[in-house]
Amino acid sequence: MLVKEEKAMAVSEESADPIGTIPLLKQHFVLVHGIGGGAWCWYKIRCLMENSGYKVSCIDLKSAGIDQAHADSVLSFDDYNQPLMDFLSALPENEQVILVGHSAGGLSVTEACHKFANKIGLAVYVAATMLKLGFWTDEDQKHGVPDLSEFGDVYQLGFGLGQDKPPTSALVKKEFQRKIIYPLSPHEDSTLACMLLRPGPILALASARFEEDGEVEKVGRVYIRTRHDNVVKAEQQEAMIKRWPPLSVYELDSDHSPFFSTPFLLFGLLVKVAAFDVGCNNTFQTSPPS
């Protein structure tokens, strides 16, 4: 099911039963950034959600945001994603969250669905890498790894294991960041991002591989496509959707960073999926468009 969003949705702060005696628990969104980002990426979405009565947690993965580690020291995906695993492990057994991943944060979401399926009511992929088992094949690489070669020499690389070894970290050079990642976003936000983006541990991300266990299919998934994305291209998003069809597919007229370029529309979509897709599983999925 493809839905193109044209306007955001308003929500009430708290719901209740028909006679108003038993208030429902607030839904809890957990937001996971992409490579180089951090919890700070979600500041607009968090504000909109909290003002509407939702509970929101934003995670800094290892070496991201205010985490003190350096990307060149993070060499495995398990290490990189440990903050999210720790967060989910600490949740009460009877609590479920709506887990939202942006870009490479989709890999973090997928690992969480493998390991904590009972604590995730819905997984939402926002212009994100959605590979059921991570990077095992050349096809996985083709669909899930951004190809920015058309823009030239865009990466500032780190070599934590030595100059004769594969790079351990990467950061899009400042002069390319707005053109590639934030072309439709307000200049204030792309300026903020230029000040806060950190190198991402690309060697760790490349090692993201998950074993088939059946657990991941217990979690319903939603994909939010970004029409004007220079990072995870439209054909890559479409290929991942076809390979592992989610419950629903939505689309935004956004660049790679809809939390900056179309925050109200992204907020509206997240509210919509919280209302209509939570509690479903892939047994009842509709096919995405061809």
Side-chain angles (χ1 to χ4, degrees):
M1 177 175 67
L2 173 64
V3 179
K4 181 181 178 182
E5 279 305 294
E6 295 183 348
K7 59 182 179 180
M9 301 172 59
V11 297
S12 61
E13 182 167 339
E14 191 171 271
S15 301
D17 72 343
I19 60 174
T21 58
I22 307 174
L24 299 177
L25 291 176
K26 293 179 180 179
Q27 288 175 304
H28 185 180
F29 284 84
V30 178
L31 311 180
V32 184
H33 61 82
I35 186 170
W40 56 269
C41 294
W42 301 102
Y43 80 96
K44 290 183 174 180
I45 302 301
R46 180 169 189 163
C47 182
L48 289 167
M49 285 188 158
E50 290 182 340
N51 285 345
S52 298
Y54 293 95
K55 182 177 180 180
V56 183
S57 299
C58 301
I59 306 297
D60 276 327
L61 300 176
K62 193 73 172 287
S63 77
I66 63 172
D67 185 87
Q68 295 300 302
H70 193 281
D72 288 326
S73 69
V74 180
L75 304 178
S76 73
F77 187 76
D78 285 345
D79 190 19
Y80 176 63
N81 206 32
Q82 194 60 49
L84 178 59
M85 299 296 99
D86 290 343
F87 178 89
L88 293 172
S89 180
L91 284 176
E93 287 301 321
N94 63 344
E95 181 176 351
Q96 284 197 329
V97 301
I98 299 171
L99 189 56
V100 182
H102 172 248
S103 197
L107 293 165
S108 297
V109 168
T110 300
E111 183 183 40
C113 292
H114 279 282
K115 294 185 176 181
F116 294 98
N118 62 316
K119 293 186 176 183
I120 303 170
L122 187 71
V124 183
Y125 293 77
V126 182
T129 305
M130 187 176 68
L131 300 169
K132 182 177 180 180
L133 300 177
F135 295 118
W136 288 93
T137 68
D138 290 342
E139 186 178 45
D140 297 329
Q141 296 281 337
K142 178 181 178 182
H143 296 159
V145 176
D147 179 5
L148 305 183
S149 58
E150 67 187 273
F151 298 100
D153 180 17
V154 303
Y155 287 119
Q156 174 185 322
L157 300 174
F159 295 87
L161 298 177
Q163 292 291 328
D164 59 335
K165 298 292 193 300
T168 49
S169 69
L171 175 66
V172 174
K173 295 175 182 176
K174 288 189 182 296
E175 60 265 32
F176 292 101
Q177 288 173 5
R178 178 165 179 81
K179 180 178 182 180
I180 296 174
I181 312 172
Y182 313 109
L184 303 180
S185 299
H187 279 273
E188 299 96 317
D189 291 318
S190 61
T191 300
L192 174 71
C194 283
M195 298 168 68
L196 296 178
L197 281 174
R198 296 175 59 186
I202 56 173
L203 192 63
L205 283 164
S207 72
R209 296 184 181 89
F210 319 122
E211 298 291 340
E212 178 65 80
D213 52 18
E215 290 296 301
V216 71
E217 295 293 359
K218 296 179 181 179
V219 181
R221 285 172 292 105
V222 168
Y223 200 95
I224 299 178
R225 301 197 303 202
T226 41
R227 176 175 288 187
H228 308 289
D229 199 318
N230 292 328
V231 180
V232 183
K233 305 290 198 302
E235 57 269 25
Q236 291 178 297
Q237 296 184 43
E238 183 67 16
M240 290 186 288
I241 289 167
K242 285 184 175 180
R243 286 180 63 189
W244 195 25
L247 293 167
S248 304
V249 177
Y250 299 90
E251 185 174 88
L252 290 172
D253 281 321
S254 146
D255 57 23
H256 184 60
S257 305
F259 39 71
F260 290 159
S261 59
T262 55
F264 290 100
L265 297 185
L266 177 57
F267 164 66
L269 271 184
L270 293 176
V271 169
K272 177 178 284 189
V273 302
F276 296 109
D277 291 294
V278 171
C280 300
N281 63 51
N282 289 344
T283 303
F284 305 104
Q285 69 193 14
T286 56
S287 298
S290 58

